[in-house]
Amino acid sequence: MTRLNWLDTCRGIAILFLILVHYVGGLESRGFISSEVLDLSKVFLRVATPYFILIFGFTFATCYYKKLNSYEDVKKLYKKLLPKLVLVFLAREVIVLSTAIRYPEMQSTVKDILLYKGFSSSGEILSFYFLAISLAPLFLMLLKKIQTRIFLFLAILIYAIGYFVGDSYSSEIDDMWFRLLFFDVYAFFPFFGLVMLGMVFSRIYIKLDSQMKRLSYFGLLSLFSIALASIALFSMNDNPIYLLATAKLKSPPHFSYMLLYTGMAIAITIFVSYISNFQLIKNYIFDYIDVIGRNSLLAYVLHYYLFLSSPLTEFLFDEKKPIVELIFFILMISLMLITIYLRDLMKRAK
């Protein structure tokens, strides 16, 4: 199958959303935006996690589905993925260390967190990602062996059981692995259902043999998901904006959260693929976002060091000046993007 270049763009957008959702609160606390604008911004930007996970499942199936014809192929794929798994593990450790620098109270437990005896407040999406990469070849092989509808049912079942366990017992158990698998913000089993859903979307995308059919199918699916999620959210609470903005529905991920952001992820992807295929935006704009998408792990690790803009401002000026902090933040983002761009040039030159 021809490479889908817009997938790099989608990954880049997901990473940019992750960066923004982690730092947009600083604009409100420094008086640049109102709390209402902050809440609305966070509601939209929180699509980042489900979006990135869906894209992972879609991309993995698109790249490897036809290459897995036997369990020998699965073994070969695991050998190919091993360096990636090592990098993901090391990236998680680097983020734990950077978090300990930012929050000194964490330094007494950092050793246990590095050894997976404790839970980190930052970067645990990489623990999810590590487990997801480890299981993805087996589940993709399973998709080849069974009917797509049965695989989809299995994805829903894994989500439902994972959510039920996390929702029922989260207040009673504080074990690190329980939190990682069932409860916390990147609970593995509920969110792995999204990986499987992404794999199903890849199969459907390939079977639909025209762009119009794909647009119609996924467009209707997006509208249905968003509409159903909206009905569920407004029936649950009079202020669903607050629930979504403060991530109250993410630990573990409620079905309305999953439906809403799956629908939004599909809508964003339709938009990106459409303007990419018809070149409605200058190529160089997408080129920069593609670089982030191709280097998503590096981008994710580096963004945890953007918090240094605040202490640097205080160090240089002996006080915190909001406008100067913002300038430093923009400069640090620029430095991060330059680093990613140079790394991408080195990779492509090999």
Side-chain angles (χ1 to χ4, degrees), residues 1 6 12 24 67 85 122 162 184 187 204 207 211 290 298 341:
M1 180 179 177
W6 48 264
V24 70
K67 298 177 182 179
L85 287 168
S122 302
D184 221 90
I204 294 172
K207 288 181 180 179
Q211 293 289 29
D290 291 352
L298 177 61
Y341 184 75

Side-chain angles (χ1 to χ4, degrees), residues 2-50:
T2 305
R3 178 180 174 83
L4 303 176
N5 292 321
W6 48 264
L7 280 176
D8 289 333
T9 307
C10 291
R11 279 196 297 271
I13 289 172
I15 289 294
L16 289 174
F17 284 176
L18 277 171
I19 294 171
L20 289 172
V21 79
H22 285 168
Y23 289 100
V24 70
L27 294 176
E28 188 269 340
S29 64
R30 290 160 178 80
F32 290 109
I33 60 173
S34 66
S35 58
E36 291 79 10
V37 172
L38 173 65
D39 284 347
L40 289 173
S41 300
K42 282 191 171 182
V43 168
F44 177 75
L45 293 172
R46 288 200 186 280
V47 71
T49 296

Side-chain angles (χ1 to χ4, degrees), residues 193-218:
L194 277 184
V195 175
M196 297 172 68
L197 184 61
M199 292 178 176
V200 171
F201 285 169
S202 173
R203 297 294 87 215
I204 294 172
Y205 179 88
I206 292 171
K207 288 181 180 179
L208 297 175
D209 55 4
S210 73
Q211 293 289 29
M212 185 54 65
K213 288 181 181 179
R214 291 164 178 166
L215 179 63
S216 300
Y217 181 90
F218 286 104

